[in-house]
């Protein structure tokens, strides 16, 4: 019943960088490292999806003959 908050790309990337730093330090125990790895994989997937959507929006804008950007959200 709890709603998931939509995380922004920049927030996801920052968290991913923190996870990499923690894992590279080697200080986290194995269980914590596995949790961090799983979270990192989810964040990579999220960032990739957001980048793919942004790329599609750019392609739509570039392909618009009259240069209009209306209803770009609906086409993606």
């Amino acid at each position: 019943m709890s709603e998931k908050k939509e995380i922004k790309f920049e927030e996801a990337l920052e968290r991913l960088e923190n996870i990499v730093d923690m894992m590279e330090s080697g200080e986290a125990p194995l269980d914590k490292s596995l949790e961090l790895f799983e979270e990192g994989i989810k964040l990579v997937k999220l960032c990739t999806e957001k980048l793919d959507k942004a790329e599609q929006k750019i392609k739509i804008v570039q392909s618009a003959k009259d240069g209009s950007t209306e209803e770009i959200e609906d086409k993606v």
Side-chain angles (χ1 to χ4, degrees):
M1 290 190 194
S2 64
E3 279 187 41
K4 285 188 175 182
K5 179 189 168 203
E6 180 71 25
I7 186 170
K8 293 182 180 180
F9 175 81
E10 292 79 7
E11 294 169 348
L13 190 58
E14 183 178 343
R15 176 63 182 149
L16 188 55
E17 290 172 349
N18 291 336
I19 289 171
V20 169
D21 290 342
M22 286 188 275
M23 291 185 71
E24 284 181 342
S25 74
E27 294 179 15
L30 180 60
D31 290 344
K32 182 65 177 176
S33 292
L34 287 172
E35 287 176 26
L36 291 170
F37 180 78
E38 289 174 356
E39 183 182 355
I41 293 296
K42 290 176 185 176
L43 290 168
V44 167
K45 198 173 188 181
L46 178 97
C47 287
T48 301
E49 289 171 2
K50 288 187 178 285
L51 287 172
D52 288 344
K53 285 182 181 179
E55 182 179 19
Q56 288 302 314
K57 288 180 184 180
I58 290 169
K59 287 179 181 178
I60 290 168
V61 170
Q62 287 177 336
S63 66
K65 292 180 182 178
D66 64 356
S68 69
T69 58
E70 292 182 36
E71 298 182 30
I72 292 173
E73 296 290 329
D74 296 338
K75 294 181 182 178
V76 177

